[in-house]
C-alpha cells in the first residue's frame, strides 16, 4: 500500500511538472507571437483586434468552442492596447486550458491573423488616402461627387496603365462598376466576349496556364520514368548506406521495403546530395534556400499571366487543365480530383520524383526545431513521417490511397498513420461537412504549401539561415498515460500514442503533418500575377513551422516603408467623416424655438429610428463612403500602395468641375437638406395631431383648421391643391382618412399653391397648425407611451429573423399594457387571418383562422376556425372594413363564444373587432379584443382606446407585411441560387443576410438567414445568428457592402468573396449575398455573367415585392399560376421576371439573327477550316441549333400536329418565321389551356449543356436556351402540389408568453 501511495504521489508530481512545463512553453510561444504583429506607436496591439482573433477561433465549428464566445465582450474602441506581457496574460485567460493540439491550432490561427492584420492596416491606409482625395475633389463641400465623372476617370487611368498593372486592376467598364440598368438587354444577355471580363483576358490566361501546367507535368513524368528505370542498381546500393540508422528508429519498422529503398536511392541519384543522417547546419540552410529558389523559379514561369487558381494549385494537384473551366469549383478544387489515365508505374515514379524534390526540407526541419537535449528521436522518426506525408499531401496523379501504397508499400503502422493524416488534410478538410467550408484547416492551405515543390531542386543555391529556437508542444494526457512521456520528446514522438493519433487523424492534423509545408508564404505568393485570392494562407501551418513560414516570421514595423500611426479608420469611420442629414436637421429643428411643441416628438423619432448608417445608391452621385469603396474595388487587393498613390495623383490632376456644375451641386444639396427638414417637420406634426396613435387623420378636420390660416385669406388657394391629389376612398362613414404619407403629400401641395418662398411658407404653416392643436399634459404622456408600444411592434418585425412570433408577442403586449395603464381593464385578444376554404367550400369561400391569442385563451381559441355560417360579427367587419364595438355582448345575440364551458351568467363584457388592412386597404384578417375576463360586469371601451387599438391593428399590419416581404425575398433568393448552381460550377457557397437594427441603437447588425453549399443544398438556420461589426474586423466586407450599397470583391481566410447588396427602392441595402468562390481569384466569364443574371432577377423581384407591400406598385399577375396563392407566387417570381427579361430581349432581335442560324450549316460546311473549327465541332453546333429551334417550335405550335412525321430538318424550317418570336413572347407556359409536350422538348435539349451553349457564342441560341429552360421549370412548378412548395423559414420557437398557431396562413387570396 505504501508503494502504491508513493507511485501515485510521484505520478501527481510528474503530471504537475508536465503542466508547469506546458504552461511555460505556451507562455514562451505567445511571447514570440507578439513580435509577429504590427504595433501602434506605443508598442501595443489594439485589444479589440485580439478579441476578434479569439472570437473567430472559438467560432470554428470543428473545435466546439462556441460557448466561450459568450464570455468574450468585444470592445468598441481601438484605443486600448496590449503590451507583450498583457498580450500573454489576456490570451492565456481564455485558452490556457485547451488541449495541446487545440493550442497548436490557435497558434497557427494567431500567426495568420497577424498577417491578415497587416493587410487590414494596408487597406485602412489606402482608404485614408481615398477619403482625403474625396475631400480634395469636393470643392463645394456638398459631400457628393459625380458618379459618371468618377467612372470616366477610372477608365482613363485603367487604359493608360501598363499591362502588368492592368492585370491587377478591375475593369471599370464592367459590372459591378456598371449597374444592370445601365447595360442594354442585348448586351446583358448576348455579350459573350471573354475579353470583357472584370480581369483583363482572365479566361484566356487561365486556359493557357492550365495547358502549360499539363504539358510540363507530362514531360517530367516521362523524364523521371526514364531516369528511374535506367539506374536501378545504383539506387539500391545508395539505399544500403542509408538504412542502418533507420533500422534503429524507435517505434518504427526495422526494415524498409524494396520500394522504399529504391525511392531513397533515387533521391540521392537525382542530385539531392542529402541523406537521412543528421544534417549539418549548412545543409539545413541549403534546404531552406532551395524552397525559396523553387518558388522564385516557379513564379518566373507564370509571372506575367493570370489564371483561375495559382500555378501552385494547378501543378501540385496534377490537374490536366483540359476541362478546368467545366469542373466544379476553382482550379485548386479541380486539380484535387487528379486526372486519371496514368498507369500505376507512372504514379509510383511521380511519387519518387516528388520525394526527390522535397525530402531535403522534410528531413531537415524536425532536427532544427528540437532542443539540444532532444536529438535521438527527431533525427530519425520525423523524416519517415515527413516523406510519407509529403507523398499523401502534395500528391501525384494517382488517388491518395494508391499513392500511399506505391510509396510506402508494407511499412509500419506509424507510417500509415502519418500518411492517412496527410490525406485527411489534403482532401477531407477540403469540403468538410458536405462541401461547406466551415473549417480553417487543410482546406485552405494547398496553394501556399504545395506549389513550390513542382520545380527540380538541382540548381538551388544556399538560402535563409535559422530563425532561432523552436517551440516544442506537449500534448495533454490523463494520469494513466502520463508515465509514457519520455524525457526529451513530445507525445507525438512516442510509439505508444501512435494509435491515438490515427484515431484522431480526422479531427486535427498533427504537428509533424505540417512540418514540410514551408515554402509558399503569403508574400511570395503576392509577387506572382495572382489568379487566386491574395490573402490565401495555409491555416494548417503549425507554430513549429511558423519560424520557416514567412507569413509567421517577425515582420518589420512598417508597411511599404510607411509606419502605422495607430489609427484604425474602419472603427470610427462614420464618426470622423460621415454625418447623417436626418440627425443634423433634427438637431437644427430642436434648436429652433418656433417648434418647441414638436421637440419631444422629434427626439423620440431619432431614438426609434431603425437601421442607421447606410448610404443609399442613386446612380447619380457618390458620397464619401461610396467613393472610397468604388476606388478600393478598382485597385483591388493585389496592388501596392504606390498604385493607389498614382491613382490619387491622377484624380487630383484631372478631376475638375465647372462653375455651373458646382452651383448645381450646391443647389441640389440645399434641396436635399430641405426635403429632409420638411419630412421631419410634417412627420412630427402628424404624430402630435394623431394623439391616440390611430395612424390616420380625418381630412375634414385638417381642412377646417387649414382654412383658418391667415384668417381664411388663403382658403381658395388651398382648395386648388385638392385638384392634384388622389385621396383614398371614403370610409363607410363618408370620412376620408389620410395616412402619414398622404398627409405629408397634401400639406406639400397646399404649400405649393401659396405665395412666397416655399421653405418659409411650409414652416409657417407647420407652426400655425402646431400652435392650433391643444393637448393636455396627460394626453401628451399617454401619446408618448403609446408611441413607444407601437414602435416596439415594428421593431419586433425588423429584428425577428423573418418570424411572426415576436410580432404577435409585441402586439398583445401593447394591447394589455394600454388596457391596464389607460383603461383599467383586463382584456383578452386574438388575431384571425383569412384563408381560402378548400375543405368545406359550401360553408363559404373564405374562413377566419385564429392564429394567435393571449395565453389564457389558447385552449379555447387557438387554431379554431370561424365560418360564414356561424355566429359572429367578424365577417361583418371583413365585409364593411370598419371596427365594430359591442358594449355588452350578453345583449347582442350574434356573438360567438369560443369557450363553450362559460355559463351565460359569465358572458358579460365588451367586444371590439377591428379589420386588418394592407397598403391597398384590402382586408386580410381581424383583430378582436374583449373584456370577458374582467371582473366588472360593465366595462366598455372608450373612444381613445378604440383609436389606439386601430393604431395597433395598423402597426401589426405593417409588421406582418414587413415579415412576409422578407420571407418572399428569401424564397426568391433561394430559387435564384438553385438556378445558378444548376448551370455553374465555380461557386463554393452563398450566404444570405438581412440587415437589422442593433439593440445598441448605434449601428446595425446582419442576420445570417441561409447558407447554400456547393451542391445547392440550403441550410435555413433554425435560430438565425446575428453578425456584429465589432466581431468582423477580419471579414468586414459584408458591412462595407451594406454601408455603401455597392458590390465588394474581397478575400478572407484565403477565399475570395463577392458581396452583393440587395437594395430596397430607396437605394439602401436591406440585405447582402456573400458569394464565396473559394481560392480562385475570379469566376470564369460565363459563370460571372450567369451570376449577374441571377442578381438582376433577384433585385427586380425585390423591388416588386417591396413596392407591392408599401402600396407604391400595383400587384401584377403576368402568369396564370400567380393567382394560386402568395407562397406559390413567391416561388415563381424569379423565373417569371427572367421570362419577362428574355421576352424583352427577344423582341429586340433582328430577323437576320435567325436567318444566320438557318444558314450556319451550309456556311460552315464550306469554310470551317477558316473558322478554326473541326468537322466534329461544326456538326455539334448544327445539332445544337436544330434541337433548340425544334424545342421552341414545339412550344409555339402546341395546338397543331405533334410533328410525328417531321423527321427532316427541312420541314421544321417552315415554322421559323416572323411570327415565331411574337408567339413565344405571348406564351404563358402555366396557362391551363396550353398543352406542351414536355417529354419531347426535354429529349431535344437535355443533351446540351450550359457550357456548350455558351461556347457557341450566339445570342439567339443563348436566349432561346434560357427561355426553354425557364418555361419547363415553370411547367414543373405548376404541376407540383402546394405542399411541395414551402417557404424557407426558420424553425418556430417553442417558448413564448403568448400562444401562436403552428399553422400558416399563406394561402389567402386577397
Amino acid at each position: 500500500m505504501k508503494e502504491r501511495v508513493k507511485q501515485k504521489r510521484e505520478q501527481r508530481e510528474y503530471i504537475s511538472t508536465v503542466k508547469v512545463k506546458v504552461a511555460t512553453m505556451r507562455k514562451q510561444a505567445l511571447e514570440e507571437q507578439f513580435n509577429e504583429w504590427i504595433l501602434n506607436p506605443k508598442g501595443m496591439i489594439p485589444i479589440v483586434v485580439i478579441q476578434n482573433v479569439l472570437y473567430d477561433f472559438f467560432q470554428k465549428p470543428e473545435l466546439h468552442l462556441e460557448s466561450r464566445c459568450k464570455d468574450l465582450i468585444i470592445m468598441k474602441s481601438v484605443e486600448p492596447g496590449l503590451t507583450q506581457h498583457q498580450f500573454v496574460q489576456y490570451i492565456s485567460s481564455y485558452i490556457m486550458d485547451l488541449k495541446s493540439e487545440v493550442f497548436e491550432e490557435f497558434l497557427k490561427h494567431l500567426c495568420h491573423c497577424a498577417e491578415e492584420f497587416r493587410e487590414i492596416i494596408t487597406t485602412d491606409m489606402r482608404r485614408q488616402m481615398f477619403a482625403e482625395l474625396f475631400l480634395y475633389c469636393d470643392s463645394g463641400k456638398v459631400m457628393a461627387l459625380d458618379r459618371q465623372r468618377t467612372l470616366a476617370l477610372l477608365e482613363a487611368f485603367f487604359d493608360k496603365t501598363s499591362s502588368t498593372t492592368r492585370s491587377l486592376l478591375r475593369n471599370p467598364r464592367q459590372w459591378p462598376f456598371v449597374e444592370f440598368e445601365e447595360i442594354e438587354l442585348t448586351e446583358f444577355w448576348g455579350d459573350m466576349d471573354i475579353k470583357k471580363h472584370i480581369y483583363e483576358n482572365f479566361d484566356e490566361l487561365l486556359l493557357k496556364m492550365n495547358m502549360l501546367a499539363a504539358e510540363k507535368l507530362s514531360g517530367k513524368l516521362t523524364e523521371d520514368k526514364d531516369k528511374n528505370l535506367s539506374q536501378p542498381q545504383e539506387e539500391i546500393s545508395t539505399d544500403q548506406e542509408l538504412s542502418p540508422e533507420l533500422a534503429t528508429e524507435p517505434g518504427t519498422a526495422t526494415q524498409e521495403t524494396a520500394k522504399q529503398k529504391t525511392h531513397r536511392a533515387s533521391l540521392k541519384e537525382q542530385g539531392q546530395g542529402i541523406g537521412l543522417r543528421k544534417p549539418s547546419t549548412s545543409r539545413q540552410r541549403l534546404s531552406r534556400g532551395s524552397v525559396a529558389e523553387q518558388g522564385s523559379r516557379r513564379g518566373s514561369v507564370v509571372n506575367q499571366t493570370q489564371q483561375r487558381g495559382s500555378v501552385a494549385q494547378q501543378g501540385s494537384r496534377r490537374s490536366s487543365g483540359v476541362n478546368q473551366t467545366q469542373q466544379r469549383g476553382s482550379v485548386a478544387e479541380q486539380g484535387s480530383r487528379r486526372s486519371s489515365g496514368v498507369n500505376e508505374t507512372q504514379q509510383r515514379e511521380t511519387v519518387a520524383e516528388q520525394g526527390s524534390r522535397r525530402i531535403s526540407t522534410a528531413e531537415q526541419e524536425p532536427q532544427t526545431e528540437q532542443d539540444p537535449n532532444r536529438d535521438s528521436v527527431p533525427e530519425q522518426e520525423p523524416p519517415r513521417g515527413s516523406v510519407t506525408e509529403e507523398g499523401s499531401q502534395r500528391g501525384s496523379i494517382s488517388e491518395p490511397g494508391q499513392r500511399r501504397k506505391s510509396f510506402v508499400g508494407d511499412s509500419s503502422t506509424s507510417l500509415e498513420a502519418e500518411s492517412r493524416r496527410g490525406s485527411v488534410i489534403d482532401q477531407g478538410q477540403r469540403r468538410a461537412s458536405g462541401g461547406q467550408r466551415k473549417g480553417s484547416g487543410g482546406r485552405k492551405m494547398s496553394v501556399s504549401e504545395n506549389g513550390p515543390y513542382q520545380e527540380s531542386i538541382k540548381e538551388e543555391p544556399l538560402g535563409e539561415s535559422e530563425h532561432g529556437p523552436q517551440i516544442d508542444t506537449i500534448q495533454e494526457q490523463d494520469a494513466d498515460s502520463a508515465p509514457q512521456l519520455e524525457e526529451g520528446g513530445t507525445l507525438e514522438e512516442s510509439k505508444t500514442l501512435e494509435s491515438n493519433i490515427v484515431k484522431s487523424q480526422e479531427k486535427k492534423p498533427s504537428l509533424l503533418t505540417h512540418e514540410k509545408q514551408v515554402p509558399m508564404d503569403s508574400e511570395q505568393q503576392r509577387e506572382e500575377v495572382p489568379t487566386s485570392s491574395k490573402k490565401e494562407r495555409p491555416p494548417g501551418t503549425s507554430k513549429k513551422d511558423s519560424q520557416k513560414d514567412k507569413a509567421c516570421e517577425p515582420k518589420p514595423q512598417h508597411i511599404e516603408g510607411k509606419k502605422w500611426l495607430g489609427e484604425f479608420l474602419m472603427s470610427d469611420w462614420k464618426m470622423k467623416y460621415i454625418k447623417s442629414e436626418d440627425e443634423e436637421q433634427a438637431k437644427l429643428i430642436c434648436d429652433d424655438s418656433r417648434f418647441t411643441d414638436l421637440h419631444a416628438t422629434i427626439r423620440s423619432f431619432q431614438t426609434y429610428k431603425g437601421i442607421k448608417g447606410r448610404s443609399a445608391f442613386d446612380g447619380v452621385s457618390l458620397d464619401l463612403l461610396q467613393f472610397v469603396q468604388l476606388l478600393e474595388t478598382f485597385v483591388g487587393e493585389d496592388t501596392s500602395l504606390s498604385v493607389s498613390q498614382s491613382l490619387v495623383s491622377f484624380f487630383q490632376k484631372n478631376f475638375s468641375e465647372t462653375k455651373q456644375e458646382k452651383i448645381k451641386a450646391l443647389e441640389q444639396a440645399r434641396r436635399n437638406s430641405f426635403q429632409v427638414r420638411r419630412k421631419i417637420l410634417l412627420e412630427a406634426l402628424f404624430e402630435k395631431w394623431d394623439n391616440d396613435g390611430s395612424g390616420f387623420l380625418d381630412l375634414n378636420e385638417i381642412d377646417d383648421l387649414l382654412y383658418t390660416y391667415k384668417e381664411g385669406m388663403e382658403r381658395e388657394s388651398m382648395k386648388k391643391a385638392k385638384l392634384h391629389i388622389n385621396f383614398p376612398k371614403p370610409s363607410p362613414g363618408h370620412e376620408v382618412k389620410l395616412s402619414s404619407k398622404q398627409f405629408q403629400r397634401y400639406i406639400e401641395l397646399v404649400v405649393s399653391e401659396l405665395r412666397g418662398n416655399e421653405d418659409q411658407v411650409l414652416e409657417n404653416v407647420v407652426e400655425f397648425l402646431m400652435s392650433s392643436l391643444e393637448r393636455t399634459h396627460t394626453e401628451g404622456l399617454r401619446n408618448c407611451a403609446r408611441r413607444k408600444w407601437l414602435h416596439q411592434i415594428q421593431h419586433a418585425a425588423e429584428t425577428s429573423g423573418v418570424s411572426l412570433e415576436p410580432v404577435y408577442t409585441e402586439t398583445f403586449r401593447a394591447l394589455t399594457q394600454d388596457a391596464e395603464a389607460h383603461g383599467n381593464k383586463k382584456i383578452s385578444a386574438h388575431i384571425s387571418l383569412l384563408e381560402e376554404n378548400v375543405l368545406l367550400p359550401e360553408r363559404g369561400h373564405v374562413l377566419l383562422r385564429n392564429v394567435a391569442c393571449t395565453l389564457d385563451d389558447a385552449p379555447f381559441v387557438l387554431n379554431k376556425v370561424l365560418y360564414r355560417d356561424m355566429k359572429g360579427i367578424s365577417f361583418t367587419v371583413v365585409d364593411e372594413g370598419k371596427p365594430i364595438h359591442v358594449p355588452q355582448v350578453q345583449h347582442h345575440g350574434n356573438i360567438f363564444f369560443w369557450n363553450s364551458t362559460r355559463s351565460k351568467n359569465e358572458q358579460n363584457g365588451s367586444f371590439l373587432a377591428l379589420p386588418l388592412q394592407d397598403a391597398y386597404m384590402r382586408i386580410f384578417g381581424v383583430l378582436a379584443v374583449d373584456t370577458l375576463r374582467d371582473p366588472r360586469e360593465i366595462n366598455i371601451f372608450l373612444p381613445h382606446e378604440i383609436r389606439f387599438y386601430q393604431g395597433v391593428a395598423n402597426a401589426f399590419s405593417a409588421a406582418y407585411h414587413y415579415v412576409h416581404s422578407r420571407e418572399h425575398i428569401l424564397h426568391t433568393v433561394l430559387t435564384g441560387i438553385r438556378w445558378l448552381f444548376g448551370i455553374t460550377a465555380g461557386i463554393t457557397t452563398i450566404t444570405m443576410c438581412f440587415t437589422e437594427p442593433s439593440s445598441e441603437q448605434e449601428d446595425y447588425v446582419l442576420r445570417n438567414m441561409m447558407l447554400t453549399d456547393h451542391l445547392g443544398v440550403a441550410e435555413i438556420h433554425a435560430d438565425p445568428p446575428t453578425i456584429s461589426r465589432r466581431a468582423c474586423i477580419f471579414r468586414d466586407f459584408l458591412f462595407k457592402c451594406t454601408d455603401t450599397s455597392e458590390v465588394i470583391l474581397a478575400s478572407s481566410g484565403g477565399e475570395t468573396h463577392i458581396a452583393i447588396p440587395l437594395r430596397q427602392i430607396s437605394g439602401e441595402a436591406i440585405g447582402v449575398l456573400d458569394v464565396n468562390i473559394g481560392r480562385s481569384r475570379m469566376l470564369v466569364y460565363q459563370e460571372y455573367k450567369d451570376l449577374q443574371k441571377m442578381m438582376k432577377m433577384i433585385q427586380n423581384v425585390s423591388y416588386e415585392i417591396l413596392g407591392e407591400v408599401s402600396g407604391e406598385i400595383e400587384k401584377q399577375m403576368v402568369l396564370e399560376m400567380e393567382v394560386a396563392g402568395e407562397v406559390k407566387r413567391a416561388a415563381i417570381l424569379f423565373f417569371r421576371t427572367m421570362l419577362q427579361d428574355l421576352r424583352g430581349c427577344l423582341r429586340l432581335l433582328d430577323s437576320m439573327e435567325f436567318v444566320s442560324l438557318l444558314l450556319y450549316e451550309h456556311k460552315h460546311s464550306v469554310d470551317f477550316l477558316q473558322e478554326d473549327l473541326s468537322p466534329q465541332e461544326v456538326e455539334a453546333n448544327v445539332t445544337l441549333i436544330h434541337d433548340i429551334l425544334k424545342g421552341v417550335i414545339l412550344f409555339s405550335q402546341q395546338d397543331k400536329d405533334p410533328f410525328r412525321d417531321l423527321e427532316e430538318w427541312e420541314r421544321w424550317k417552315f415554322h421559323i418565321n416572323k411570327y415565331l418570336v411574337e408567339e413565344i413572347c405571348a406564351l404563358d407556359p402555366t396557362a391551363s389551356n396550353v398543352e406542351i409536350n414536355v417529354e419531347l422538348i426535354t429529349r431535344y435539349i437535355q443533351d446540351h449543356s450550359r457550357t456548350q451553349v455558351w461556347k457557341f457564342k450566339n445570342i439567339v441560341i443563348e436566349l432561346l436556351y434560357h427561355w426553354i429552360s425557364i418555361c419547363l421549370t415553370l411547367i414543373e412548378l405548376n404541376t407540383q402540389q402546394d405542399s411541395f412548395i414551402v417557404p424557407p423559414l426558420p424553425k418556430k420557437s417553442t417558448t413564448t408568453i403568448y400562444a401562436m398557431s403552428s399553422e400558416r396562413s399563406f394561402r389567402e387570396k386577397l
Side-chain angles (χ1 to χ4, degrees), residues 16-57:
S16 177
T17 303
V18 170
K19 289 183 177 180
V20 171
K21 186 175 181 181
V22 168
T24 303
M25 295 172 64
R26 290 185 175 185
K27 181 179 179 180
Q28 181 183 0
L30 293 175
E31 290 175 349
E32 292 187 3
Q33 285 281 356
F34 183 84
N35 297 326
E36 297 168 5
W37 288 78
I38 186 169
L39 309 177
N40 62 20
K42 298 180 182 180
M44 306 171 77
I45 303 174
I47 187 173
V48 66
V49 176
I50 303 304
Q51 289 173 334
N52 271 265
V53 173
L54 292 169
Y55 184 86
D56 290 347
F57 182 73

Side-chain angles (χ1 to χ4, degrees), residues 250-252 381 414 477 480-486 490-503:
T252 59
E381 186 170 13
S414 63
Q477 57 181 358
D480 294 335
S481 59
Q484 297 175 2
L485 283 167
E486 298 176 4
T490 64
L491 288 182
E492 289 182 322
E493 296 162 354
S494 174
K495 176 181 178 181
T496 58
L497 292 181
E498 287 183 357
S499 59
N500 294 333
I501 294 175
V502 172
K503 294 178 181 178

Side-chain angles (χ1 to χ4, degrees), residues 539-599:
T541 312
S542 70
K543 173 62 186 154
K544 283 190 174 184
D545 23 319
S546 67
Q547 295 290 338
K548 302 177 287 299
D549 186 354
K550 290 185 180 180
C552 296
E553 291 177 2
K555 298 295 195 320
Q557 293 298 313
H558 60 79
I559 298 175
E560 297 187 24
K562 296 183 179 181
K563 278 280 187 180
W564 180 41
L565 301 180
E567 296 181 355
F568 203 28
L569 202 60
M570 77 167 43
S571 62
D572 58 350
W573 178 269
K574 296 176 183 176
M575 295 177 61
K576 186 173 181 179
Y577 289 107
I578 306 301
K579 294 181 180 179
S580 171
E581 189 66 34
D582 285 357
E583 295 177 0
E584 290 292 319
Q585 291 299 325
K587 184 178 180 182
L588 292 175
I589 296 173
C590 290
D591 293 338
D592 193 335
S593 59
R594 293 183 299 167
F595 307 108
T596 304
D597 292 347
L598 300 180
H599 290 175

Side-chain angles (χ1 to χ4, degrees), residues 354-544:
Q354 295 165 6
S356 68
R357 291 193 298 270
R358 302 168 187 167
I359 194 165
S360 62
T361 303
E363 293 172 357
Q364 306 311 319
E365 289 170 9
Q367 297 163 4
T368 62
E369 293 169 358
Q370 303 297 328
D371 293 336
N373 62 340
R374 310 176 84 177
D375 291 336
S376 58
V377 174
E379 289 178 13
Q380 300 173 25
E381 186 170 13
R384 296 186 61 188
S386 302
V387 174
T388 307
E389 291 167 0
E390 206 71 298
S392 63
Q393 281 188 354
R394 303 215 165 95
S396 66
I397 296 178
S398 62
E399 291 299 322
Q402 295 172 331
R403 289 202 307 272
R404 291 195 294 268
K405 293 177 182 179
S406 62
F407 187 84
V408 277
D410 299 323
S411 60
S412 66
T413 305
S414 63
L415 287 174
E416 294 176 359
E418 297 295 342
S419 178
R420 287 194 296 271
R421 288 160 61 183
S423 176
V424 168
I425 296 169
D426 191 32
Q427 290 187 347
Q429 297 184 8
R430 179 167 306 132
R431 291 188 178 274
S433 302
Q436 300 178 12
R437 304 182 182 190
K438 299 178 181 178
S440 61
R443 172 65 186 88
K444 304 177 184 175
M445 69 187 178
S446 60
V447 171
S448 52
E449 297 169 1
N450 298 352
Y453 289 106
Q454 279 193 245
E455 291 289 345
S456 175
I457 302 183
K458 294 182 180 180
E459 301 176 0
E460 293 171 353
L462 292 177
E464 302 174 11
S465 59
E466 294 294 315
H467 297 294
Q470 305 296 318
I471 304 298
D472 292 314
T473 56
I474 297 182
Q475 183 173 344
E476 295 178 352
Q477 57 181 358
D478 54 24
D480 294 335
S481 59
Q484 297 175 2
L485 283 167
E486 298 176 4
E487 184 177 357
T490 64
L491 288 182
E492 289 182 322
E493 296 162 354
S494 174
K495 176 181 178 181
T496 58
L497 292 181
E498 287 183 357
S499 59
N500 294 333
I501 294 175
V502 172
K503 294 178 181 178
S504 63
Q505 60 188 348
E506 294 182 0
K507 297 181 179 179
K508 292 287 181 297
S510 69
L511 181 64
L512 294 178
T513 304
H514 303 291
E515 286 180 338
K516 289 76 58 183
Q517 299 167 354
V518 177
M520 194 62 172
D521 60 76
S522 58
E523 289 184 357
Q524 183 178 352
Q525 186 174 351
R526 289 196 298 269
E527 292 174 359
E528 300 178 357
V529 175
T531 53
S532 60
S533 172
K534 176 185 177 182
K535 293 182 182 179
E536 185 171 349
R537 58 178 174 83
T541 312
S542 70
K543 173 62 186 154
K544 283 190 174 184

Side-chain angles (χ1 to χ4, degrees), residues 208-260:
K208 289 179 181 178
M209 292 315 304
N210 289 341
M211 298 302 296
L212 178 63
E215 293 173 0
K216 187 175 181 181
L217 176 62
S218 177
K220 286 194 173 185
L221 287 174
T222 305
E223 179 183 351
D224 293 336
K225 179 180 179 180
D226 295 339
K227 284 186 178 181
N228 292 333
L229 291 177
S230 62
Q231 302 176 1
Q233 297 299 327
E234 185 174 333
E235 292 173 355
I236 295 174
S237 63
T238 306
D239 183 75
Q240 291 173 355
E241 298 176 9
L242 306 178
S243 58
E245 281 194 34
L246 287 178
T248 63
E249 273 189 14
T252 59
T254 58
Q255 293 183 352
E256 290 183 284
T257 64
K259 293 181 180 179
Q260 292 172 311

